[in-house]
Amino acid sequence: NTVGLDRPGIVSDVTRIVTDKGGNVGESRAQLLGGHFSLMMLVEIAPAEMDDLHNKLQNEVQGMLTTCFDTIDPKAVEITPKIGFAGAFKLSGADNPGIVHKLTSVLARHSLTIGNMKTSHEEAPFGGTELFTMEGRAVAHEPLASQFDWTKIKAELQEMGESMNCDIEFKDVTGDAIRK
């Protein structure tokens, strides 16, 4: 993981060091947010090279905070707990203080964790007001609670949205790829 002020060449610098140490980049995610850049990668590398890789990343990728840690190859083990439910959510409407907290609190109350999430602001097409959007995926792990009912979560989110002048969609996407 690498994060810091954006500049040209961050991904190039990181991947050069990984390659020079005999590593290979698998899955990765990168995001520019404000003036900061964040990069998260799963890297395959010989265990004996891990400490040296971390040192080189910390010392040679200027202006970036870097962390490294061991992970388990998801192909080598059975991942537990299994996902019992996946829900896609989308909120759009007027921005309200605490809106992210309110929506994620409903999800947490129902034992859902965030698989991914993105928020943004944009100018409304009419009226000059600012619209807020939030979308992502939330998951619940097996075993699901006996009283788990995603339609009740959907109704609670829609009621919350109405009270804040927002539209909130929530749908069951269990079985779809969580990382979409």
Side-chain angles (χ1 to χ4, degrees):
N1 296 314
T2 299
V3 65
L5 289 175
D6 187 37
R7 64 169 174 77
I10 295 170
V11 176
S12 175
D13 290 348
V14 170
T15 55
R16 175 187 48 80
I17 294 167
V18 168
T19 303
D20 287 352
K21 296 306 298 171
N24 184 50
V25 175
E27 290 184 53
S28 66
R29 303 285 185 274
Q31 183 69 48
L32 179 61
L33 185 61
H36 287 79
F37 182 79
S38 176
L39 173 65
M40 184 170 52
M41 299 186 311
L42 291 177
V43 173
E44 295 176 29
I45 191 164
E49 297 292 337
M50 182 70 166
D51 289 338
D52 193 39
L53 173 66
H54 188 206
N55 289 333
K56 286 191 174 292
L57 288 169
Q58 285 184 315
N59 295 320
E60 295 181 23
V61 183
Q62 298 299 314
M64 303 298 285
L65 173 64
T66 302
T67 59
C68 295
F69 50 90
D70 290 328
T71 62
I72 297 172
D73 179 0
K75 296 175 191 158
V77 297
E78 182 178 351
I79 303 298
T80 57
K82 296 234 181 256
I83 294 173
F85 171 82
F89 60 88
K90 182 173 183 179
L91 175 150
S92 58
D95 196 1
N96 291 274
I99 197 167
V100 173
H101 171 70
K102 290 173 184 174
L103 188 143
T104 57
S105 291
V106 170
L107 298 175
R109 234 184 352 269
H110 293 279
S111 300
L112 292 164
T113 62
I114 301 298
N116 61 54
M117 183 180 82
K118 178 181 178 182
T119 62
S120 62
H121 287 96
E122 63 183 63
E123 191 171 317
F126 303 103
T129 60
E130 195 168 82
L131 294 178
F132 180 79
T133 60
M134 174 180 178
E135 58 187 307
R137 305 243 174 173
V139 298
H141 296 105
E142 291 182 348
L144 295 176
S146 60
Q147 74 278 11
F148 183 86
D149 182 350
W150 78 271
T151 61
K152 289 182 182 176
I153 301 168
K154 177 181 179 176
E156 186 176 344
L157 288 170
Q158 288 174 331
E159 184 178 320
M160 182 187 82
E162 289 173 14
S163 73
M164 296 187 307
N165 196 27
C166 295
D167 294 322
I168 301 178
E169 300 170 17
F170 188 65
K171 63 182 179 179
D172 181 353
V173 294
T174 305
D176 291 355
I178 298 303
R179 295 185 181 133
K180 282 186 179 176

